[in-house]
Amino acid sequence: MDIAQWWPKLRDETRDWLVEHNGEPLDPEVSADIAAAHDGQPGWWAEKSDDGLYELPDESVDWIEAWANGETP
């Protein structure tokens, strides 16, 4: 599933966190909300960092940056 499909399913707080912390390992609550947007499927949309937290792929980080800047992602 493309980020444009699951982004609208996220809570406002999650989208805000993703914009403010774009490119950082994901807070567990943020990971849980993204998983919920994927019908509870954890992790296939991200990679695990060295500290065991999920990280979004570069394409998703770029998409969020464009969205946050008011650009068409």
Side-chain angles (χ1 to χ4, degrees):
M1 183 183 302
D2 185 83
I3 188 172
Q5 294 174 304
W6 54 262
W7 184 259
K9 297 179 182 181
L10 299 177
R11 295 178 303 131
D12 290 339
E13 296 86 1
T14 298
R15 286 193 298 264
D16 291 345
W17 190 96
L18 287 167
V19 168
E20 292 172 18
H21 301 276
N22 197 20
E24 296 179 15
L26 302 177
D27 178 90
E29 288 184 29
V30 171
S31 293
D33 195 31
I34 294 172
H38 289 95
D39 298 322
Q41 301 288 325
W44 66 266
W45 39 265
E47 300 175 2
K48 284 233 179 173
S49 65
D50 291 339
D51 57 6
L53 298 174
Y54 287 110
E55 293 181 333
L56 294 175
D58 290 341
E59 301 84 35
S60 295
V61 171
D62 293 345
W63 190 97
I64 293 168
E65 182 178 357
W67 183 88
N69 290 331
E71 301 167 3
T72 302

